[in-house]
Amino acid sequence: MKYIKDLKEGDRVFDIYLCKHKQSAVTKNGKAYDNVILQDKTGTIDAKIWDPNSAGIAEFDTLDYIEVYGDVNSFQGALQVSVKRVRLCEEGEYDPADYLPVSSKNIDDMYKQLLGFIGSVENQYLKKLLESFFLEDESFIKAFRMSSAAKTVHHGFVGGLLEHTLSVTKLCEYYCTAYPVLKRDLLITAAICHDIGKTKEISLFPENDYTDDGQLLGHIVMGTEMIGQKARTIPGFPPVLEAELKHCILAHHGEYEYGSPKKPAIIEAAALNLADNTDAKMETFMEALQNAKDDGWLGYNRLFESNIRMTRME
């Protein structure tokens, strides 16, 4: 198949894609048409079905796999597929791995590394809490391994939450060697748990969209609640330790305008915020470079508040 990232103006497509989204609309002249977003593992592209009631357009819906025949054109500077024919596909005609963005790193290897960090935690209460999530809770483990870390901003792929969490944990491990004042067990536990709420905030692929609770509560609040629920099942869990761990989760975005209910008040929370911000920004920059068509300026990036480009070293 020809992947979406390789499409260019003038191409003709005749391949199977995942229908990420479908919505009926009406032109200014009152003619019905369908807005469709097609997806494969390399990205998405807008598509238009200008004659949805024609014989060549089969019935389909969002999250269906469809065989699309059409032409690639440009509209207002963006590529778009003008769809001529659509056929609904059956299971066995496609490999879902071709349509879902997946981490370039091995998920089993990353999870094994994360379990290694859990095994290194010495505090009995924090260790038990981590094990109750990452060793004993099968439904949580499955969701955590398959979740993305964000809908679009960074690590927006299967395994993205695991990849991001492991990177943040590794940064925090370095901080502990560079700044011995840090309480390692608390910081490592907070790093591993800081985004566990995303397993409830964002649905799994292929949908990968905000849940109702995700919209109403957000992953920071839900993650803090999850910590409290597990802590209550561990006899004698120290209240101060629970509060400090929850504070790290609540403050890991660092600023109120970035969604943190609290600003860092203990040094471990400050370290977690820095590690989380570092990995998020580095991944965002790397993804922008990887998606670049050339080595010129890539335009304004909202996260960095600057025009960005690839380093040349000429």
Side-chain angles (χ1 to χ4, degrees):
M1 65 179 292
K2 191 163 189 177
Y3 291 112
I4 287 172
K5 74 176 181 62
D6 298 321
L7 294 177
K8 58 185 184 298
E9 187 176 4
D11 282 350
R12 178 157 289 177
V13 298
F14 192 25
D15 273 306
I16 296 174
Y17 297 100
L18 173 66
C19 173
K20 174 77 170 179
H21 181 72
K22 180 186 180 185
Q23 184 178 40
S24 297
V26 179
T27 66
K28 293 179 180 179
N29 297 327
K31 184 180 178 182
Y33 70 99
D34 287 338
N35 282 312
V36 177
I37 298 177
L38 303 175
Q39 174 178 304
D40 65 22
K41 67 180 182 181
T42 68
T44 60
I45 189 170
D46 288 332
K48 295 286 188 289
I49 302 176
W50 297 113
D51 193 4
N53 298 316
S54 72
I57 306 297
E59 288 291 327
F60 70 95
D61 208 343
T62 298
L63 301 185
D64 281 337
Y65 288 89
I66 54 176
E67 186 178 62
V68 175
Y69 176 80
D71 298 315
V72 180
N73 47 55
S74 180
F75 178 71
Q76 294 183 345
L79 292 180
Q80 185 181 93
V81 178
S82 178
V83 178
K84 310 299 183 186
R85 295 200 301 271
V86 173
R87 178 179 68 85
L88 181 64
C89 297
E90 302 289 337
E91 256 187 76
E93 291 188 72
Y94 53 86
D95 181 355
D98 287 329
Y99 301 91
L100 306 180
V102 180
S103 172
S104 61
K105 300 173 182 176
N106 185 280
I107 290 176
D108 289 335
D109 288 346
M110 288 192 292
Y111 202 76
K112 185 177 180 180
Q113 291 181 57
L114 198 67
L115 293 180
F117 280 107
I118 291 173
S120 73
V121 171
E122 296 179 355
N123 182 281
Q124 61 173 319
Y125 300 105
L126 295 177
K127 191 183 193 74
K128 178 58 181 174
L129 184 140
L130 288 167
E131 289 176 345
S132 67
F133 278 116
F134 294 90
L135 285 173
E136 300 169 6
D137 191 334
E138 292 185 5
S139 61
F140 170 82
I141 293 169
K142 181 179 180 181
F144 185 85
R145 286 167 56 101
M146 301 305 291
S147 289
S148 66
K151 184 179 175 182
T152 55
V153 180
H154 67 90
H155 295 91
F157 43 78
V158 175
L161 177 57
L162 171 57
E163 183 177 321
H164 171 61
T165 300
L166 183 60
S167 294
V168 170
T169 304
K170 288 178 176 179
L171 285 169
C172 287
E173 175 78 326
Y174 166 71
Y175 291 166
C176 290
T177 63
Y179 310 103
V181 66
L182 291 164
K183 305 296 185 185
R184 181 186 181 276
D185 282 354
L186 175 60
L187 181 54
I188 292 299
T189 302
I192 293 172
C193 293
H194 81 282
D195 269 351
I196 57 174
K198 287 188 175 179
T199 60
K200 296 184 176 182
E201 180 183 47
I202 302 174
S203 58
L204 296 178
F205 279 96
E207 189 174 30
N208 192 48
D209 204 353
Y210 290 102
T211 63
D212 286 346
D213 283 351
Q215 294 278 17
L216 293 171
L217 303 175
H219 74 280
I220 293 178
V221 170
M222 288 190 287
T224 307
E225 290 178 340
M226 292 165 70
I227 293 293
Q229 290 165 2
K230 290 291 187 185
R232 286 192 291 274
T233 68
I234 301 172
F237 201 106
V240 173
L241 181 61
E242 180 182 346
E244 289 174 340
L245 177 57
K246 286 179 174 178
H247 174 74
C248 289
I249 308 301
L250 290 169
H252 80 263
H253 278 194
E255 302 288 345
Y256 298 136
E257 58 263 39
Y258 298 151
S260 263
K262 299 294 292 183
K263 290 188 177 184
I266 58 177
I267 195 168
E268 290 77 17
L272 177 60
N273 167 240
L274 293 170
D276 180 56
N277 193 35
T278 294
D279 188 60
K281 285 188 173 178
M282 290 300 291
E283 177 65 23
T284 300
F285 213 125
M286 287 192 297
E287 289 179 13
L289 296 178
Q290 290 166 0
N291 294 329
K293 301 295 184 182
D294 54 51
D295 61 356
W297 287 96
L298 307 182
Y300 183 83
N301 185 283
R302 180 175 56 84
L303 185 64
F304 295 99
E305 298 181 339
S306 173
N307 291 324
I308 63 174
R309 70 163 172 81
M310 190 175 295
T311 308
R312 293 182 183 149
M313 291 289 289
E314 294 175 345

